[in-house]
Amino acid sequence: MSEYHNASVQPRHYTRGLSPLMVRIMVVNAIALIILVGGVLYLNQFRDNLIEARTSALLIQAKIIAGAVGESASGGPEASEIDLPAARNILTRLVGPTELRARLFSFEGGLLVDSRFLAGDKRLVEEPLGAFDGEESLKYQIEETILDVLNVFTRKPEAPLSVDRPGMRAIDFVEVLNAIEGVEKSQIRVREDGQYVVNVAVPVQRFRRVLGVLLLTGQTEDIEAIVRSEQLLTVQVFAGAFTITLLLSFFLGRTLVRPIRVLARSAERVRRGIGREERIPEFAERLDEIGDLSRSLSDMTRALYNQIDAVERFAADVAHEIKNPLSSMRSALETLQMTDKPDVQKRLFAILAEDVKRVDRLISDISDASRLDAELTRGKMEIFDLGAMMTTLLDAYSTMNIPRDIQVRAGEFSDRIFRVKGIEARLGQVWRNLIDNAISFSPEGGSVRISITSKNKYVTLMVDDDGPGLPDGAEQKIFKRFYSERPDNEAFGNHSGLGLAISKQVIEAHGGRISAENRRGSANEILGARFTVQIPAAET
């Protein structure tokens, strides 16, 4: 009782709002987009390429300026010092109009010239740019916040701090020390505000003699602006695509989740419902798998109700059939108690014995019919030769003592192969039921004839007898449970009326069909009954 109670009250959990299935759909659709955008946002290689191009350009400019400064030194091949006035003029003309900063160091390491102080009113190029109109706008703040968040996941090159203080010397710059040795050197440095600068140091030479070092510094604000612009554009495209993806995912989720949820709730109401007013909805307008599922569930529910009806009818039929012999037994016992005549008592005991046999036969047949569904479900289908099976079965009948000199004959099928797929034991039971039924209706000296043919992917087996045939309108009723139409010379109660019903159930479970009809002569007279069974032939 407790197990049933627990099973009946166990709650079903239906999510409200976004279901897990819809969330999965959205996540799966968004993952590919996020991965793609994540790869685009990872612009390290793009930034590195721009910085590398900037470094190469600075190196060429530095070589040109250093060459001009070196050529301006006086003293010919013996020159040992840079001509400062000429160097200032060169730096003013070549560097002044640009955003570059040039610093000239002597061979001994002292700072000789700094273009920062040669640019007139020009401010220090390494200072951050001033604020512009609209910087405090909401849109700008949102964009900056997004880009700052993205920069957290963007790898930036590690670089030493940029040196900018009074009294700078060559020892403060490893690139300058390398250039004093005659080796060109570039170095990326980071300012206090986080912006990068590119330093290029080249030796100033006169007839291959190093007179000093030119340190040319270029800014990277424009590079960062390009990168941030690309990031912002990518984020905008991503936001639009992500919004569309979410809307499409939500639409897809609604088309999948909502009908599934409706089906689940309907199935739950059917499970808990007492009456049959609950039905599984059929999404007839849907031609997809959801529609197939709804129709299958609806068909399954109807089949379940039909099975419940069949069980109820079977139980009622069983109660009715068992009640008849029990009533007879009760009447015989009551009469037995009121009589003391030996001949009457003898007849009453005979009635009781027959009724006990009838009840025993009913219980056996009912038990067999009850187990039939389970056996057909668990049974293993095998391919076998129906002709060989019937030959063996007819050999068994030839050794039996068949009443009224009735002959069981077979057509010419022993030399042919009729392959079918099924449960051999259950099909054998069908053939025995049909043959026994034909024998019981055959007259004195009659015959039962078996024939097997194959046509249109079906194997057809026919059982003919020479009996009185079927009553009018009984062609279908004889396959109902407990229906019994017996010969007049047969004692009542020898058959339960389940044999043909079981045979029909077995044949239909094998995908076949069984029918009955009367054989008629040229004058439309009844020659006997014919039972026809068709089973799908096994594919070879």
Side-chain angles (χ1 to χ4, degrees):
M1 181 65 182
S2 60
E3 293 180 358
Y4 173 80
H5 177 75
N6 293 336
S8 63
V9 300
Q10 184 178 1
R12 296 292 194 273
H13 300 286
Y14 299 108
T15 58
R16 298 184 181 274
L18 286 179
S19 70
L21 180 58
M22 184 176 292
V23 172
R24 291 190 187 100
I25 292 174
M26 292 183 176
V27 171
V28 170
N29 288 338
I31 281 178
L33 185 61
I34 293 174
I35 292 176
L36 176 62
V37 174
V40 174
L41 292 176
Y42 195 74
L43 297 172
N44 293 324
Q45 188 64 41
F46 179 59
R47 178 188 285 107
D48 293 343
N49 291 338
L50 291 178
I51 293 178
E52 184 178 349
R54 177 62 52 81
T55 302
S56 299
L58 286 177
L59 184 59
I60 294 174
Q61 290 177 277
K63 287 181 178 180
I64 295 173
I65 297 172
V69 173
E71 290 296 328
S72 67
S74 60
E78 301 299 327
S80 60
E81 294 182 355
I82 296 174
D83 189 344
L84 289 181
R88 288 191 181 94
N89 290 333
I90 292 173
L91 294 182
T92 300
R93 291 189 176 187
L94 297 181
V95 179
T98 68
E99 296 293 332
L100 303 178
R101 180 181 183 182
R103 282 167 282 190
L104 191 62
F105 292 88
S106 66
F107 183 78
E108 290 76 16
L111 178 62
L112 301 178
V113 180
D114 189 343
S115 64
R116 168 184 173 185
F117 304 106
L118 302 177
D121 294 335
K122 181 180 177 182
R123 301 297 298 169
L124 178 63
V125 294
E126 292 187 7
E127 292 180 355
L129 297 177
F132 58 87
D133 293 339
E135 181 178 2
E136 299 300 328
S137 67
L138 180 61
K139 179 180 178 182
Y140 178 83
Q141 292 179 359
I142 294 175
E143 292 177 355
E144 288 299 309
T145 301
I146 293 175
L147 294 180
D148 289 341
V149 172
L150 294 177
N151 286 333
V152 174
F153 302 97
T154 304
R155 179 183 58 84
K156 290 187 176 181
E158 296 182 1
L161 289 174
S162 178
V163 179
D164 185 18
R165 64 173 184 271
M168 291 179 291
R169 295 185 59 81
I171 195 173
D172 297 322
F173 302 90
V174 64
E175 56 269 32
V176 175
L177 295 179
N178 280 270
I180 290 176
E181 299 294 331
V183 180
E184 300 170 355
K185 178 69 174 178
S186 62
Q187 177 67 50
I188 298 176
R189 292 182 177 271
V190 60
R191 300 193 318 230
E192 292 182 357
D193 61 355
Q195 292 292 338
Y196 289 91
V197 296
V198 179
N199 285 349
V200 173
V202 297
V204 177
Q205 296 177 327
R206 175 72 171 174
F207 295 104
R208 297 185 180 276
R209 182 176 182 179
V210 178
L211 304 180
V213 174
L214 174 66
L215 179 63
L216 194 62
T217 301
Q219 311 305 312
T220 61
E221 281 90 345
D222 56 339
I223 294 177
E224 291 298 326
I226 293 173
V227 173
R228 291 171 74 87
S229 176
E230 292 297 324
Q231 287 179 328
L232 185 59
L233 177 61
T234 303
V235 169
Q236 293 173 348
V237 173
F238 165 73
F242 188 72
T243 301
I244 295 175
T245 299
L246 287 182
L247 292 177
L248 292 177
S249 299
F250 185 76
F251 170 76
L252 180 61
R254 290 282 294 177
T255 58
L256 293 179
V257 174
R258 183 178 177 277
I260 291 177
R261 185 179 295 174
V262 170
L263 291 176
R265 288 175 175 171
S266 300
E268 180 67 12
R269 288 195 298 269
V270 169
R271 187 185 74 88
R272 293 179 178 273
I274 298 177
R276 298 190 180 183
E277 66 279 0
E278 298 293 345
R279 289 289 186 270
I280 300 294
E282 294 187 17
F283 301 106
E285 71 283 357
R286 298 193 60 145
L287 302 179
D288 54 7
E289 288 77 4
I290 298 294
D292 293 340
L293 176 61
S294 65
R295 288 184 286 273
S296 297
L297 287 176
S298 180
D299 293 341
M300 183 185 67
T301 304
R302 284 194 292 268
L304 179 61
Y305 285 149
N306 293 336
Q307 185 67 20
I308 293 174
D309 292 339
V311 171
E312 291 176 352
R313 289 194 300 269
F314 183 73
D317 293 341
V318 167
H320 176 73
E321 292 297 323
I322 293 181
K323 188 175 181 179
N324 288 336
L326 290 180
S327 298
S328 176
M329 294 172 66
R330 182 177 59 187
S331 177
L333 288 174
E334 291 175 353
T335 304
L336 188 62
Q337 293 175 352
M338 293 184 296
T339 183
D340 55 357
K341 297 180 180 181
D343 55 337
V344 175
Q345 291 179 345
K346 183 178 180 181
R347 287 197 304 271
L348 291 175
F349 278 121
I351 292 174
L352 288 172
E354 289 297 325
D355 286 337
V356 169
K357 290 180 181 179
R358 183 181 175 191
V359 171
D360 180 68
R361 185 164 47 252
L362 276 173
I363 292 175
S364 299
D365 290 345
I366 290 170
S367 176
D368 186 46
S370 301
R371 293 196 307 267
L372 183 59
D373 283 333
E375 291 184 8
L376 292 176
T377 302
R378 295 193 301 264
K380 182 179 180 181
M381 295 280 192
E382 296 180 346
I383 297 177
F384 61 91
D385 182 10
L386 182 58
M389 177 185 180
M390 290 303 302
T391 300
T392 303
L393 184 60
L394 293 176
D395 289 342
Y397 272 97
S398 65
T399 62
M400 295 170 56
N401 185 18
I402 301 177
R404 303 189 303 280
D405 295 328
I406 298 173
Q407 301 294 321
V408 179
R409 300 175 181 176
E412 296 180 357
F413 56 78
S414 58
D415 58 342
R416 296 186 57 188
I417 297 177
F418 301 93
R419 295 186 182 276
V420 296
K421 186 175 183 180
I423 303 175
E424 189 171 357
R426 279 299 178 180
L427 289 177
Q429 179 186 10
V430 172
W431 314 142
R432 289 192 298 271
N433 286 343
L434 295 180
I435 295 174
D436 291 343
N437 183 76
I439 292 174
S440 65
F441 281 95
S442 295
E444 183 78 24
S447 65
V448 175
R449 295 169 298 281
I450 314 296
S451 63
I452 304 177
T453 58
S454 178
K455 185 179 180 181
N456 297 332
K457 298 183 179 180
Y458 276 88
V459 174
T460 302
L461 183 142
M462 290 187 294
V463 180
D464 295 344
D465 62 45
D466 298 328
L470 302 173
D472 292 337
E475 290 84 355
Q476 297 298 327
K477 289 192 289 185
I478 59 175
F479 294 106
K480 293 183 178 180
R481 285 191 297 265
F482 302 111
Y483 179 87
S484 182
E485 188 75 35
R486 307 310 306 171
D488 296 335
N489 59 357
E490 184 175 296
F492 175 77
N494 287 340
H495 294 271
S496 64
L498 288 174
L500 291 179
I502 292 175
S503 299
K504 186 175 188 298
Q505 187 175 357
V506 172
I507 295 301
E508 290 180 348
H510 285 76
R513 51 185 176 268
I514 183 172
S515 61
E517 61 182 349
N518 287 323
R519 295 188 300 108
R520 296 183 180 272
S522 58
N524 202 32
E525 73 277 14
I526 297 177
L527 303 178
R530 169 176 291 172
F531 285 81
T532 304
V533 177
Q534 289 183 310
I535 299 180
E539 296 182 0
T540 57

